[in-house]
Amino acid sequence: LPAAGQGKAPPGGRRGRDGPGAAGAARRRKRALEPGRNKATIKGRVVKSAIEEYHKKKPVDHLRENLRYMLKGRLVADKAITEKVLAQNRGRKSKDQPPEKAEKKKPEGTVFTEEDFRKFEREYFGIP
């Protein structure tokens, strides 16, 4: 038997709100009511010139300005400082390091002349 005071719910009372898609349906209804621009029409759209867009994105050559700027300052940095900066900018791997310059060895020459050798022979061996 049904409990006292409870009967069937009146038809159409809460019927559409309890499903899994209830929140989505409410959102769709709300979106449909909002006034918005119809994206399918061309009204209010500004036509862009392809040439202007190309000129906007074209790379600009700054060579002259850069040269003028570089030549303006005549201060020359010290050689040791420039070497230090270049060393900092180089990588730490061995392939990034410049080859070490080996000091050129001078061919070993003798300090003695032929005359000195002859004199030594005479004194040491007793050859006249």
Side-chain angles (χ1 to χ4, degrees):
L1 293 172
Q6 288 185 350
K8 282 190 171 182
R14 289 177 33 127
R15 193 174 64 208
R17 296 206 179 137
D18 281 346
R27 246 184 261 123
R28 279 193 299 275
R29 258 186 270 115
K30 189 174 184 182
R31 189 177 293 154
L33 295 175
E34 290 179 3
R37 198 180 91 210
N38 188 355
K39 301 219 189 307
T41 62
I42 199 167
K43 184 178 179 183
R45 190 167 175 211
V46 180
V47 179
K48 295 179 185 176
S49 168
I51 297 170
E52 288 175 12
E53 289 296 311
Y54 170 75
H55 285 301
K56 263 194 250 177
K57 293 178 183 174
K58 188 172 75 169
V60 183
D61 186 24
H62 297 288
L63 178 68
R64 289 190 188 283
E65 299 149 45
N66 290 342
L67 282 174
R68 218 175 294 128
Y69 175 77
M70 297 291 249
L71 293 173
K72 186 170 58 178
R74 290 287 180 199
L75 180 68
V76 179
D78 188 23
K79 181 102 173 147
I81 295 172
T82 55
E83 288 296 325
K84 201 180 280 187
V85 170
L86 289 173
Q88 285 175 346
N89 287 336
R90 250 185 256 120
R92 293 176 69 181
K93 294 180 181 174
S94 62
K95 68 174 185 173
D96 296 331
Q97 300 300 321
E100 292 183 20
K101 295 177 183 175
E103 293 181 17
K104 294 181 182 175
K105 291 186 177 180
K106 293 180 181 176
E108 291 184 16
T110 179
V111 191
F112 303 104
T113 61
E114 277 296 316
E115 185 61 35
D116 293 332
F117 282 116
R118 277 192 225 111
K119 187 178 175 187
F120 174 74
E121 279 180 7
R122 273 187 238 122
E123 290 174 1
Y124 191 73
F125 296 113
I127 302 173

